[in-house]
Amino acid sequence: MAETQIGLGKSARRGYRLAELDIVPSRRTRNPAEVDTSWQIDALRFDSPIVAAPSDGVVSPATAVAMSNAGALGVLHSEGVWCRHEDPAPALAEIAGIDPAAEGAAVEVLDRVHSLGRPEVRPELVKARVAEMRSGGATVALAVSPGLVEASLEAILAAEPDLLVIEGTVVSAEHVSDGEPLNLKRVLRRLEVPTIVGGCTSYSAALHLMRTGAAGVLVGVGPGRVGPTRNVLGIGAASATAIADARAARIRHLDETGVYCHVIAHGGVRNSGDLAAAICCGADAVVLGDLLAAATEAPAGGWTWAHRSDHPTLPRSRVEHVTTNGPLQQILHGPAVGADGTTNLVGALARSMAFAGHVSCKDFQKAELLVAEGDFR
Protein backbone atom coordinates (compact mmCIF):
# COMPACT_ATOMS: atom_id res chain seq x y z
CA MET A 1 0.00 0.00 0.00
CA ALA A 2 1.40 3.39 -1.05
CA GLU A 3 2.71 5.61 1.73
CA THR A 4 2.78 9.39 2.01
CA GLN A 5 5.97 11.03 3.20
CA ILE A 6 5.23 13.21 6.24
CA GLY A 7 8.78 14.53 6.49
CA LEU A 8 12.34 13.26 6.26
CA GLY A 9 12.38 9.68 7.52
CA LYS A 10 8.67 9.62 8.44
CA SER A 11 5.85 8.32 6.28
CA ALA A 12 2.26 7.22 6.75
CA ARG A 13 -0.29 5.07 4.99
CA ARG A 14 -3.47 6.64 3.67
CA GLY A 15 -6.43 5.42 5.70
CA TYR A 16 -10.03 5.33 4.46
CA ARG A 17 -13.25 5.91 6.36
CA LEU A 18 -16.40 3.96 5.61
CA ALA A 19 -18.14 7.10 4.35
CA GLU A 20 -15.46 7.45 1.64
CA LEU A 21 -16.38 4.14 0.02
CA ASP A 22 -18.99 3.31 -2.60
CA ILE A 23 -20.21 -0.24 -3.20
CA VAL A 24 -20.26 -1.11 -6.89
CA PRO A 25 -23.40 -2.92 -8.12
CA SER A 26 -22.66 -6.09 -10.06
CA ARG A 27 -24.02 -7.30 -13.40
CA ARG A 28 -26.32 -9.67 -11.50
CA THR A 29 -28.86 -8.36 -9.01
CA ARG A 30 -31.18 -10.24 -6.67
CA ASN A 31 -34.48 -9.85 -4.93
CA PRO A 32 -33.79 -8.43 -1.43
CA ALA A 33 -36.14 -11.05 0.04
CA GLU A 34 -33.77 -13.77 -1.19
CA VAL A 35 -30.58 -12.58 0.58
CA ASP A 36 -29.43 -13.87 3.96
CA THR A 37 -28.25 -11.22 6.45
CA SER A 38 -27.52 -13.70 9.26
CA TRP A 39 -24.18 -14.39 10.93
CA GLN A 40 -22.99 -17.01 13.38
CA ILE A 41 -20.24 -17.04 15.99
CA ASP A 42 -19.50 -20.38 17.61
CA ALA A 43 -22.92 -22.03 18.08
CA LEU A 44 -24.73 -18.67 18.34
CA ARG A 45 -26.69 -17.59 15.27
CA PHE A 46 -28.29 -14.18 14.67
CA ASP A 47 -30.60 -13.03 11.90
CA SER A 48 -28.65 -9.80 11.37
CA PRO A 49 -24.99 -8.79 11.87
CA ILE A 50 -25.85 -6.03 14.36
CA VAL A 51 -24.48 -5.83 17.92
CA ALA A 52 -25.67 -3.21 20.41
CA ALA A 53 -22.75 -1.46 22.12
CA PRO A 54 -22.22 -2.25 25.83
CA SER A 55 -23.26 1.21 26.99
CA ASP A 56 -25.69 1.96 29.82
CA GLY A 57 -27.46 4.41 27.52
CA VAL A 58 -28.02 1.74 24.89
CA VAL A 59 -28.41 -1.66 26.57
CA SER A 60 -30.43 -2.67 29.61
CA PRO A 61 -31.58 -6.23 30.33
CA ALA A 62 -34.91 -5.34 28.70
CA THR A 63 -33.32 -3.90 25.53
CA ALA A 64 -30.99 -6.91 25.31
CA VAL A 65 -34.10 -9.09 25.21
CA ALA A 66 -35.66 -6.80 22.60
CA MET A 67 -32.49 -6.96 20.49
CA SER A 68 -32.51 -10.74 20.64
CA ASN A 69 -36.20 -10.86 19.70
CA ALA A 70 -35.35 -8.68 16.69
CA GLY A 71 -32.63 -11.10 15.57
CA ALA A 72 -29.64 -9.05 16.79
CA LEU A 73 -27.36 -9.09 19.85
CA GLY A 74 -27.33 -6.73 22.82
CA VAL A 75 -24.25 -6.66 25.09
CA LEU A 76 -24.70 -5.64 28.74
CA HIS A 77 -21.64 -4.20 30.48
CA SER A 78 -20.88 -6.13 33.66
CA GLU A 79 -19.40 -2.95 35.19
CA GLY A 80 -22.35 -0.76 34.27
CA VAL A 81 -25.21 0.59 36.35
CA TRP A 82 -27.31 -2.57 36.03
CA CYS A 83 -24.65 -4.53 37.91
CA ARG A 84 -24.07 -1.83 40.55
CA HIS A 85 -27.66 -0.90 41.51
CA GLU A 86 -30.72 -2.96 42.35
CA ASP A 87 -32.88 -0.72 40.15
CA PRO A 88 -31.11 2.02 38.18
CA ALA A 89 -34.19 2.64 36.00
CA PRO A 90 -35.40 5.71 37.99
CA ALA A 91 -31.94 7.33 37.79
CA LEU A 92 -31.74 6.64 34.05
CA ALA A 93 -35.25 8.02 33.63
CA GLU A 94 -34.10 11.23 35.34
CA ILE A 95 -31.21 11.42 32.88
CA ALA A 96 -33.64 10.85 30.02
CA GLY A 97 -35.68 13.82 31.27
CA ILE A 98 -32.78 16.29 31.04
CA ASP A 99 -33.37 18.73 28.19
CA PRO A 100 -30.44 18.43 25.75
CA ALA A 101 -30.95 22.06 24.73
CA ALA A 102 -30.48 23.34 28.29
CA GLU A 103 -27.18 25.01 29.16
CA GLY A 104 -24.77 22.53 30.77
CA ALA A 105 -27.02 19.54 30.06
CA ALA A 106 -24.15 17.29 28.95
CA VAL A 107 -22.12 18.18 32.05
CA GLU A 108 -25.09 17.40 34.28
CA VAL A 109 -25.58 14.02 32.59
CA LEU A 110 -21.88 13.21 32.95
CA ASP A 111 -22.00 14.10 36.66
CA ARG A 112 -24.91 11.71 37.11
CA VAL A 113 -23.10 8.99 35.16
CA HIS A 114 -20.09 9.38 37.46
CA SER A 115 -22.36 9.22 40.52
CA LEU A 116 -24.03 6.03 39.26
CA GLY A 117 -20.61 4.48 38.71
CA ARG A 118 -19.36 4.97 42.29
CA PRO A 119 -20.89 1.89 43.99
CA GLU A 120 -18.97 -1.35 43.56
CA VAL A 121 -20.04 -3.98 41.06
CA ARG A 122 -22.09 -6.63 42.88
CA PRO A 123 -21.51 -10.22 41.68
CA GLU A 124 -25.02 -11.23 42.73
CA LEU A 125 -26.43 -8.54 40.43
CA VAL A 126 -24.32 -9.78 37.51
CA LYS A 127 -25.87 -13.21 38.00
CA ALA A 128 -29.36 -11.73 38.41
CA ARG A 129 -29.10 -9.69 35.18
CA VAL A 130 -27.95 -12.75 33.24
CA ALA A 131 -30.91 -14.71 34.61
CA GLU A 132 -33.25 -11.82 33.72
CA MET A 133 -32.03 -11.72 30.12
CA ARG A 134 -32.11 -15.48 29.76
CA SER A 135 -35.65 -15.70 31.11
CA GLY A 136 -36.68 -13.25 28.39
CA GLY A 137 -35.24 -15.56 25.74
CA ALA A 138 -32.15 -13.46 24.94
CA THR A 139 -28.73 -14.63 23.94
CA VAL A 140 -26.77 -13.35 26.95
CA ALA A 141 -23.61 -11.36 26.25
CA LEU A 142 -21.58 -9.58 28.94
CA ALA A 143 -18.78 -7.06 28.49
CA VAL A 144 -15.84 -6.54 30.86
CA SER A 145 -12.88 -4.15 30.80
CA PRO A 146 -9.43 -5.70 30.17
CA GLY A 147 -8.02 -4.41 33.45
CA LEU A 148 -10.77 -6.10 35.45
CA VAL A 149 -10.89 -9.44 33.62
CA GLU A 150 -8.93 -11.39 36.23
CA ALA A 151 -10.80 -9.87 39.18
CA SER A 152 -14.23 -10.31 37.57
CA LEU A 153 -13.74 -13.70 35.99
CA GLU A 154 -15.10 -15.78 38.86
CA ALA A 155 -18.34 -13.75 39.08
CA ILE A 156 -18.80 -13.74 35.32
CA LEU A 157 -18.26 -17.47 34.98
CA ALA A 158 -20.69 -18.09 37.85
CA ALA A 159 -23.32 -16.06 35.96
CA GLU A 160 -22.86 -18.34 32.90
CA PRO A 161 -23.31 -15.93 29.96
CA ASP A 162 -23.50 -17.25 26.40
CA LEU A 163 -20.84 -14.82 25.12
CA LEU A 164 -18.15 -12.67 26.73
CA VAL A 165 -16.76 -9.42 25.32
CA ILE A 166 -13.45 -8.08 26.66
CA GLU A 167 -13.65 -4.49 25.46
CA GLY A 168 -11.33 -1.52 25.91
CA THR A 169 -9.97 1.43 23.93
CA VAL A 170 -6.96 -0.64 22.88
CA VAL A 171 -6.51 -4.29 23.85
CA SER A 172 -3.34 -6.27 23.24
CA ALA A 173 -2.64 -9.98 23.50
CA GLU A 174 -0.34 -9.31 26.46
CA HIS A 175 -0.52 -6.12 28.49
CA VAL A 176 2.81 -5.40 30.18
CA SER A 177 2.83 -3.60 33.54
CA ASP A 178 4.90 -3.41 36.74
CA GLY A 179 2.92 -6.28 38.20
CA GLU A 180 1.69 -9.53 36.68
CA PRO A 181 0.94 -8.95 32.97
CA LEU A 182 -2.52 -9.68 31.58
CA ASN A 183 -2.05 -12.63 29.26
CA LEU A 184 -5.22 -13.01 27.22
CA LYS A 185 -4.24 -16.44 25.91
CA ARG A 186 -4.03 -17.73 29.48
CA VAL A 187 -7.36 -16.09 30.38
CA LEU A 188 -9.20 -17.44 27.35
CA ARG A 189 -7.98 -20.97 27.98
CA ARG A 190 -9.93 -20.87 31.27
CA LEU A 191 -13.17 -19.91 29.54
CA GLU A 192 -15.74 -22.26 28.10
CA VAL A 193 -17.77 -19.46 26.48
CA PRO A 194 -16.83 -17.86 23.13
CA THR A 195 -15.05 -14.57 23.72
CA ILE A 196 -14.70 -11.43 21.61
CA VAL A 197 -11.73 -9.16 22.39
CA GLY A 198 -10.69 -5.69 21.28
CA GLY A 199 -10.30 -3.00 20.15
CA CYS A 200 -7.48 -3.15 17.71
CA THR A 201 -6.74 -1.27 14.51
CA SER A 202 -3.81 -2.96 12.78
CA TYR A 203 -3.02 -6.20 10.99
CA SER A 204 -0.44 -7.30 13.56
CA ALA A 205 -2.56 -6.46 16.61
CA ALA A 206 -5.58 -8.25 15.13
CA LEU A 207 -3.49 -11.31 14.28
CA HIS A 208 -2.04 -11.53 17.80
CA LEU A 209 -5.51 -11.24 19.33
CA MET A 210 -6.75 -14.01 17.03
CA ARG A 211 -3.90 -16.22 18.17
CA THR A 212 -5.08 -15.95 21.79
CA GLY A 213 -8.01 -18.20 20.90
CA ALA A 214 -10.61 -15.44 20.70
CA ALA A 215 -13.75 -16.24 18.75
CA GLY A 216 -13.81 -12.67 17.42
CA VAL A 217 -11.92 -9.38 17.51
CA LEU A 218 -13.33 -5.87 17.83
CA VAL A 219 -11.82 -3.51 15.27
CA GLY A 220 -11.81 0.18 16.18
CA VAL A 221 -10.83 2.44 19.08
CA GLY A 222 -13.90 4.63 19.37
CA PRO A 223 -14.10 6.78 16.23
CA GLY A 224 -17.86 7.20 16.73
CA ARG A 225 -19.87 10.15 17.94
CA VAL A 226 -19.19 9.69 21.67
CA GLY A 227 -15.65 8.33 21.45
CA PRO A 228 -13.18 11.14 20.70
CA THR A 229 -10.10 9.00 21.41
CA ARG A 230 -8.32 10.68 18.51
CA ASN A 231 -8.86 14.10 20.15
CA VAL A 232 -7.65 12.98 23.58
CA LEU A 233 -4.84 10.53 22.80
CA GLY A 234 -4.06 11.06 19.12
CA ILE A 235 -4.77 7.35 18.63
CA GLY A 236 -7.16 6.14 15.99
CA ALA A 237 -7.57 4.49 12.64
CA ALA A 238 -9.82 5.07 9.68
CA SER A 239 -12.49 2.41 10.05
CA ALA A 240 -12.52 0.98 6.52
CA THR A 241 -8.75 0.48 6.45
CA ALA A 242 -8.69 -1.02 9.96
CA ILE A 243 -11.42 -3.53 9.04
CA ALA A 244 -9.66 -4.49 5.82
CA ASP A 245 -6.37 -5.00 7.69
CA ALA A 246 -8.12 -7.24 10.25
CA ARG A 247 -9.71 -9.19 7.37
CA ALA A 248 -6.21 -9.87 6.01
CA ALA A 249 -5.14 -11.05 9.48
CA ARG A 250 -8.17 -13.36 9.58
CA ILE A 251 -7.13 -14.93 6.28
CA ARG A 252 -3.61 -15.60 7.57
CA HIS A 253 -4.93 -16.98 10.88
CA LEU A 254 -7.29 -19.29 8.98
CA ASP A 255 -4.40 -20.52 6.82
CA GLU A 256 -2.24 -21.14 9.90
CA THR A 257 -4.82 -22.82 12.14
CA GLY A 258 -7.90 -23.70 10.12
CA VAL A 259 -9.90 -21.60 12.62
CA TYR A 260 -12.09 -18.73 11.43
CA CYS A 261 -11.95 -15.72 13.77
CA HIS A 262 -14.73 -13.18 13.35
CA VAL A 263 -14.05 -9.50 12.67
CA ILE A 264 -16.51 -7.15 14.39
CA ALA A 265 -16.38 -3.49 13.36
CA HIS A 266 -16.61 -1.16 16.35
CA GLY A 267 -17.14 2.52 15.60
CA GLY A 268 -17.43 4.72 12.54
CA VAL A 269 -20.87 3.46 11.45
CA ARG A 270 -23.34 6.34 11.31
CA ASN A 271 -25.95 5.03 8.86
CA SER A 272 -26.99 1.93 6.95
CA GLY A 273 -24.63 2.83 4.09
CA ASP A 274 -21.66 2.67 6.49
CA LEU A 275 -23.02 -0.62 7.83
CA ALA A 276 -23.02 -2.14 4.34
CA ALA A 277 -19.54 -0.76 3.59
CA ALA A 278 -18.18 -2.28 6.84
CA ILE A 279 -19.42 -5.72 5.79
CA CYS A 280 -17.87 -5.27 2.34
CA CYS A 281 -14.52 -4.36 3.93
CA GLY A 282 -14.52 -7.69 5.79
CA ALA A 283 -16.60 -7.31 8.96
CA ASP A 284 -18.74 -10.25 10.03
CA ALA A 285 -20.80 -8.02 12.34
CA VAL A 286 -20.97 -4.37 13.36
CA VAL A 287 -21.31 -2.75 16.81
CA LEU A 288 -23.79 0.13 16.87
CA GLY A 289 -24.28 2.71 19.61
CA ASP A 290 -25.79 6.05 18.53
CA LEU A 291 -28.19 4.49 16.02
CA LEU A 292 -29.68 2.24 18.71
CA ALA A 293 -29.64 4.94 21.40
CA ALA A 294 -32.26 6.62 19.20
CA ALA A 295 -34.75 3.81 19.91
CA THR A 296 -37.73 4.56 22.17
CA GLU A 297 -36.64 1.60 24.33
CA ALA A 298 -33.16 3.07 24.98
CA PRO A 299 -32.64 3.28 28.78
CA ALA A 300 -31.44 6.92 28.84
CA GLY A 301 -33.93 8.44 26.41
CA GLY A 302 -31.42 9.30 23.69
CA TRP A 303 -28.49 10.24 25.95
CA THR A 304 -25.51 8.08 25.11
CA TRP A 305 -21.96 7.61 26.35
CA ALA A 306 -19.28 4.94 26.29
CA HIS A 307 -18.17 3.10 29.42
CA ARG A 308 -14.77 4.82 29.38
CA SER A 309 -16.47 8.15 30.19
CA ASP A 310 -16.24 6.97 33.83
CA HIS A 311 -12.44 7.37 33.89
CA PRO A 312 -11.73 9.71 36.85
CA THR A 313 -8.83 11.64 35.34
CA LEU A 314 -8.86 11.14 31.56
CA PRO A 315 -12.32 10.35 30.14
CA ARG A 316 -12.28 9.25 26.50
CA SER A 317 -15.99 9.49 25.83
CA ARG A 318 -18.27 12.46 25.82
CA VAL A 319 -21.96 12.50 26.55
CA GLU A 320 -24.17 13.12 23.52
CA HIS A 321 -27.91 13.21 22.86
CA VAL A 322 -29.55 11.72 19.77
CA THR A 323 -33.09 12.32 18.59
CA THR A 324 -35.46 9.42 19.14
CA ASN A 325 -36.25 7.79 15.79
CA GLY A 326 -38.82 5.20 16.79
CA PRO A 327 -39.11 1.71 18.27
CA LEU A 328 -36.14 -0.64 18.08
CA GLN A 329 -38.04 -2.88 15.67
CA GLN A 330 -38.46 0.06 13.29
CA ILE A 331 -34.81 1.07 13.51
CA LEU A 332 -33.71 -2.46 12.69
CA HIS A 333 -36.45 -3.66 10.32
CA GLY A 334 -38.45 -0.64 9.24
CA PRO A 335 -40.41 0.91 7.82
CA ALA A 336 -37.87 3.71 7.38
CA VAL A 337 -39.03 7.16 8.43
CA GLY A 338 -36.64 9.02 6.13
CA ALA A 339 -33.83 8.69 3.62
CA ASP A 340 -30.95 9.30 6.05
CA GLY A 341 -30.09 5.62 6.64
CA THR A 342 -30.90 5.61 10.36
CA THR A 343 -33.99 3.35 10.24
CA ASN A 344 -34.65 -0.06 8.64
CA LEU A 345 -30.95 -0.87 8.91
CA VAL A 346 -31.37 -4.57 8.12
CA GLY A 347 -33.65 -3.85 5.17
CA ALA A 348 -31.11 -1.40 3.74
CA LEU A 349 -28.31 -3.94 4.16
CA ALA A 350 -30.39 -6.61 2.39
CA ARG A 351 -31.13 -4.28 -0.52
CA SER A 352 -27.45 -3.29 -0.81
CA MET A 353 -26.50 -6.97 -0.91
CA ALA A 354 -29.18 -7.58 -3.54
CA PHE A 355 -27.99 -4.73 -5.80
CA ALA A 356 -24.42 -6.00 -5.51
CA GLY A 357 -25.59 -9.52 -6.39
CA HIS A 358 -24.51 -11.27 -3.18
CA VAL A 359 -26.63 -13.76 -1.30
CA SER A 360 -24.95 -13.75 2.15
CA CYS A 361 -22.92 -11.39 4.33
CA LYS A 362 -19.81 -13.52 3.89
CA ASP A 363 -20.29 -13.41 0.12
CA PHE A 364 -20.92 -9.65 0.32
CA GLN A 365 -17.32 -9.23 1.55
CA LYS A 366 -16.28 -9.91 -2.08
CA ALA A 367 -18.16 -6.87 -3.42
CA GLU A 368 -16.20 -4.30 -5.40
CA LEU A 369 -15.51 -0.96 -3.72
CA LEU A 370 -14.58 2.46 -5.03
CA VAL A 371 -13.04 5.37 -3.14
CA ALA A 372 -15.18 8.49 -3.45
CA GLU A 373 -12.98 11.54 -3.98
CA GLY A 374 -14.80 14.36 -2.20
CA ASP A 375 -18.33 14.17 -0.86
CA PHE A 376 -20.94 14.86 -3.51
CA ARG A 377 -23.75 12.85 -1.89
Side-chain angles (χ1 to χ4, degrees):
M1 193 172 184
E3 293 193 346
T4 300
Q5 188 170 351
I6 305 300
L8 290 177
K10 196 68 176 179
S11 60
R13 285 196 300 157
R14 168 73 161 91
Y16 295 95
R17 296 180 176 86
L18 294 168
E20 295 179 86
L21 302 181
D22 289 329
I23 302 166
V24 181
S26 72
R27 62 181 179 83
R28 176 182 296 147
T29 57
R30 298 179 181 274
N31 187 325
E34 296 174 354
V35 305
D36 180 8
T37 60
S38 69
W39 78 295
Q40 182 168 329
I41 181 167
D42 201 75
L44 306 173
R45 184 187 179 279
F46 306 93
D47 293 336
S48 64
I50 293 176
V51 180
S55 164
D56 290 332
V58 177
V59 178
S60 67
T63 55
V65 171
M67 285 289 292
S68 194
N69 290 340
L73 174 67
V75 183
L76 185 75
H77 211 297
S78 66
E79 299 155 32
V81 297
W82 295 94
C83 297
R84 296 176 186 267
H85 301 266
E86 284 284 354
D87 183 13
L92 289 170
E94 289 181 6
I95 289 175
I98 295 174
D99 181 1
E103 185 177 353
V107 174
E108 182 181 353
V109 171
L110 188 58
D111 286 343
R112 297 195 183 208
V113 169
H114 286 158
S115 177
L116 286 170
R118 288 191 188 109
E120 295 293 324
V121 172
R122 294 164 56 182
E124 72 275 12
L125 284 181
V126 177
K127 194 169 185 176
R129 301 312 181 199
V130 168
E132 186 178 342
M133 291 185 283
R134 183 161 287 128
S135 67
T139 298
V140 179
L142 290 179
V144 61
S145 301
L148 296 177
V149 171
E150 295 278 14
S152 306
L153 206 52
E154 185 177 344
I156 289 173
L157 293 179
E160 298 182 341
D162 300 310
L163 184 70
L164 181 64
V165 179
I166 301 174
E167 186 257 348
T169 304
V170 177
V171 176
S172 59
E174 184 170 347
H175 176 69
V176 180
S177 66
D178 293 336
E180 182 70 18
L182 169 63
N183 189 313
L184 277 179
K185 183 178 289 187
R186 185 181 64 213
V187 170
L188 296 186
R189 282 175 179 169
R190 296 162 56 190
L191 299 175
E192 294 183 0
V193 296
T195 304
I196 297 170
V197 299
C200 66
T201 60
S202 68
Y203 170 88
S204 60
L207 183 60
H208 279 82
L209 287 178
M210 291 173 184
R211 287 170 174 168
T212 64
V217 295
L218 294 171
V219 180
V221 294
R225 181 171 181 163
V226 300
T229 306
R230 172 61 183 80
N231 297 349
V232 179
L233 302 181
I235 290 175
S239 298
T241 298
I243 296 167
D245 285 351
R247 173 184 174 273
R250 181 180 63 205
I251 293 172
R252 178 171 174 182
H253 183 259
L254 182 62
D255 287 342
E256 290 177 348
T257 66
V259 176
Y260 186 94
C261 185
H262 292 79
V263 170
I264 295 99
H266 191 196
V269 175
R270 303 194 177 192
N271 50 49
S272 54
D274 290 345
L275 169 64
I279 301 294
C280 286
C281 287
D284 296 289
V286 178
V287 176
L288 301 181
D290 305 345
L291 291 172
L292 301 180
T296 53
E297 298 93 332
W303 286 103
T304 177
W305 59 90
H307 187 67
R308 50 189 172 270
S309 64
D310 283 343
H311 196 287
T313 60
L314 192 65
R316 296 181 303 285
S317 172
R318 56 177 165 249
V319 171
E320 291 280 349
H321 188 272
V322 295
T323 303
T324 299
N325 262 343
L328 183 62
Q329 182 72 21
Q330 186 173 23
I331 289 175
L332 292 178
H333 298 290
V337 296
D340 59 359
T342 60
T343 48
N344 197 6
L345 303 177
V346 179
L349 173 62
R351 189 167 293 274
S352 180
M353 292 167 61
F355 283 157
H358 297 278
V359 71
S360 68
C361 288
K362 201 170 294 295
D363 191 44
F364 195 33
Q365 294 173 3
K366 303 173 185 175
E368 183 181 353
L369 292 168
L370 290 178
V371 176
E373 295 292 342
D375 189 2
F376 305 103
R377 288 164 285 187

